[in-house]
Amino acid sequence: CPLHELSRDRIEDALNRLMVDRKISQVTRDHYLKFLRACCRWCVVVKAWLPRDPTQGIARIGTSPSRDFLPYDRWGEFLEYARRSRTYPGTATALMTGLRRGELLKMIAQDFSIDRREIRVRREVSKNKEEVLLPMMDLLVPILKPVLDVLDPTARVFPYYAESWRLSVKRWLVKMGYTPVGAGLHTLRHSFCTWAYERFGEYKGMLLARHKSMEMARRYVHLRKMPVSPEEMSLRNGSGMLSGGARS
């Protein structure tokens, strides 16, 4: 159809017909969707041929949400796989803070305060270009303290090769039964974000995960139900939620 007639319904119908007529898998369908989304965004942002992205709101279906993150009760099992690796401190930090690989690789010793249980993400390190202070889990203290004690304040804490680190995490996840496609360090961020939203609710979860919107949160958080509007979000976040209590 002509470009200006593209719509969400047309695209969803075409993807569904491909699955029926061509017998493509759900994963292949999602690859097509990813390609179409990139093309549509190019038409919107670069060429201004479309007023908006017609793929917005079309969900991926190729992977089960249970395979996109580690439930909290499996964190210990995963860390046992990582324990013998030199990347263990960085892997544990990624899982317990939700920090991105690029951010972790740039962090230095003075960004971590064991005494105050704080982690500082500097503006030049943060993907969002905003300096923030994140709480440090008690479980992370005995893992990081031996590393930080022998480092100069300006030394990199996690001097790993990015690709080999990613492949190591992927290998451990596969051993736990996760599918190789998409498994990696970003799975750990999904895991932390899901835990944070479940434990603290949407408001504090957004702060800890450093999400700008609930739309972004939906890509990372694997809950049964996410709020659909700011009004619903405010209703679900009572005053008690701001004090850090667990959601009932």
Side-chain angles (χ1 to χ4, degrees):
C1 69
L3 190 62
H4 68 275
E5 293 183 9
L6 271 181
S7 66
R8 172 179 171 175
D9 290 340
R10 280 179 178 266
I11 293 173
E12 282 189 310
D13 182 60
L15 292 171
N16 291 336
R17 280 190 284 108
L18 281 172
M19 294 180 65
V20 174
D21 299 340
R22 300 291 183 88
K23 309 297 182 184
I24 66 171
S25 68
Q26 293 180 339
V27 174
T28 301
R29 178 260 190 199
D30 287 344
H31 284 315
Y32 284 152
L33 174 59
K34 184 177 180 180
F35 173 74
L36 286 170
R37 183 163 287 153
C39 292
C40 288
R41 286 178 179 172
W42 179 78
C43 289
V44 172
V45 176
V46 179
K47 292 296 185 180
W49 288 341
L50 291 172
R52 59 185 177 276
D53 181 3
T55 65
Q56 193 69 35
I58 302 179
R60 294 168 58 243
I61 61 173
T63 55
S64 168
S66 64
R67 293 298 185 186
D68 287 340
F69 76 107
L70 282 166
Y72 182 70
D73 57 8
R74 298 198 72 185
W75 285 19
E77 179 186 354
F78 170 77
L79 291 174
E80 281 301 315
Y81 283 106
R83 192 176 299 277
R84 295 181 181 179
S85 169
R86 66 180 292 267
T87 64
Y88 175 56
T91 302
T93 303
L95 179 60
M96 297 185 197
T97 64
L99 288 167
R100 303 170 179 89
R101 179 179 63 178
E103 295 170 335
L104 288 165
L105 291 173
K106 297 175 184 176
M107 301 195 76
I108 58 178
Q110 64 185 15
D111 292 332
F112 296 83
S113 174
I114 296 294
D115 295 336
R116 295 195 301 270
R117 301 292 197 272
E118 287 180 348
I119 300 173
R120 179 171 63 106
V121 185
R122 288 170 284 124
R123 185 184 302 274
E124 60 270 27
V125 169
S126 171
K127 180 182 177 181
N128 299 329
K129 302 303 178 186
E130 295 177 354
E131 182 166 318
V132 294
L133 283 176
L134 299 177
M136 183 187 299
M137 280 190 180
D138 290 340
L139 291 172
L140 197 54
V141 173
I143 299 173
L144 287 180
K145 192 176 188 305
V147 178
L148 297 172
D149 284 347
V150 299
L151 289 177
D152 291 330
T154 58
R156 287 173 59 200
V157 181
F158 312 117
Y160 313 145
Y161 291 107
E163 185 61 15
S164 62
W165 187 16
R166 181 187 70 83
L167 292 174
S168 295
V169 172
K170 181 175 184 176
R171 183 172 68 252
W172 300 326
L173 289 169
V174 170
K175 286 182 178 180
M176 293 177 65
Y178 284 70
T179 55
V181 178
L185 275 161
H186 215 57
T187 305
L188 306 187
R189 176 162 169 78
H190 280 249
S191 306
F192 173 81
C193 293
T194 300
W195 170 82
Y197 277 79
E198 286 180 336
R199 174 66 177 82
F200 297 109
E202 287 79 28
Y203 178 76
K204 290 198 72 174
M206 285 182 70
L207 293 179
L208 290 170
R210 294 177 293 148
H211 286 147
K212 295 293 186 182
S213 65
M214 289 309 300
E215 180 183 355
M216 177 61 69
R218 288 187 181 95
R219 303 180 190 178
Y220 284 85
V221 181
H222 307 277
L223 305 178
R224 293 182 181 178
K225 182 178 183 294
M226 293 292 288
V228 295
S229 67
E231 291 75 15
E232 181 182 351
M233 178 179 158
S234 63
L235 288 173
R236 294 181 64 176
N237 282 311
S239 58
M241 206 66 70
L242 301 179
S243 63
R247 182 170 52 183
S248 58

